[in-house]
Amino acid sequence: MKDVCEVRCIHEENVQRAQSARTDDGVLEEAAALLGVISDPTRLKIMDALRLGELCVCDLAAVLKMSISAISHQLRLLRTARLVRGRRAGKVIFYTIHDEHIEKLMDMALDHCRQRCGE
Amino acid sequence: MKDVCEVRCIHEENVQRAQSARTDDGVLEEAAALLGVISDPTRLKIMDALRLGELCVCDLAAVLKMSISAISHQLRLLRTARLVRGRRAGKVIFYTIHDEHIEKLMDMALDHCRQRCGE
DNA sequence: TTAATAATTGAAAGTTTGTTCAAGTGTTAG
DNA sequence: CTAACACTTGAACAAACTTTCAATTATTAA
């Protein structure tokens, strides 16, 4: 953060255009945080597993072949980011994907990758 | 990865349903990687700045108020992940968003966050 | 060729992240 | 109440990430 204010090659017009139309920093940082939560392989696998219906922590551990503790830690992040929702049924807590919007976002990312893989 | 194979509360049906319909691990990991690249505030700001047109590294450094080196490092990640494209014009390299699909994915994430912020 | 500019790169430092292990809730059945 | 079960949580450690600083490449102009 030093050679920033020296005027070098800067294209004034372009910079101002970008400056004036830029998305609010708060929104961008929230978006980054949201994307950060689904950008982990384990968490994406959890989300993928939940697409066909609710699963408890043990189920998820079995599907992903990981420890219950590890899954639970990740579920907390997913819960906090409201990507996932839990409902208690006695001792068991069943998790589902929080809402349709999230599912669409995921589908879009997966489709994009499938396309690329098939290139 | 120890208490995985002990049968505890596992709901067989649900687990098998999730197992059989799960998305290919390769695709999921690529998607995680792709999302990982846009899930950083700096990189998301770069992408956002590029939405109105091409900018060079210096321009981006000016817009984000960061060092040229830091921006360049991030641009390399964005380039490698094919989220961004560069065209050389003499000494200057102008960057743009790689394709429309990526732009849509971004819009979707940003809209989602704007909605949430306005709740 | 030499000097200057735009950008990239490698290494180092500081921070963040993911998993494990052990201990802690909260709920139900006996 | 007590025991067992489903799950969560905190601390710790290793792996990965982001930025800085210094050196390097590529292009153009003198």
Side-chain angles (χ1 to χ4, degrees), chain A residues 31-97:
Chain A
L34 176 79
L35 292 167
V37 176
I38 26 173
S39 72
D40 172 76
T42 300
R43 291 192 291 267
L44 206 54
K45 283 174 196 167
I46 291 176
M47 298 291 284
D48 186 62
L50 292 178
R51 289 212 284 173
L52 282 99
E54 58 186 16
L55 295 174
C56 71
V57 180
C58 287
D59 295 341
L60 284 166
V63 174
L64 302 208
K65 300 195 205 314
M66 288 180 62
S67 79
I68 288 169
S69 177
I71 299 287
S72 181
H73 275 295
Q74 303 297 9
L75 278 173
R76 182 154 53 94
L77 294 183
L78 290 169
R79 237 185 297 126
T80 307
R82 285 184 293 177
L83 294 175
V84 134
R85 207 194 266 288
R87 80 173 174 89
R88 176 147 232 150
K91 280 185 265 189
V92 183
I93 297 173
F94 288 101
Y95 284 95
T96 44
I97 293 183

Side-chain angles (χ1 to χ4, degrees), chain B residues 58-72:
Chain B
C58 286
D59 295 341
L60 285 166
V63 174
L64 302 211
K65 300 194 206 313
M66 287 180 60
S67 78
I68 289 170
S69 176
I71 300 285
S72 182

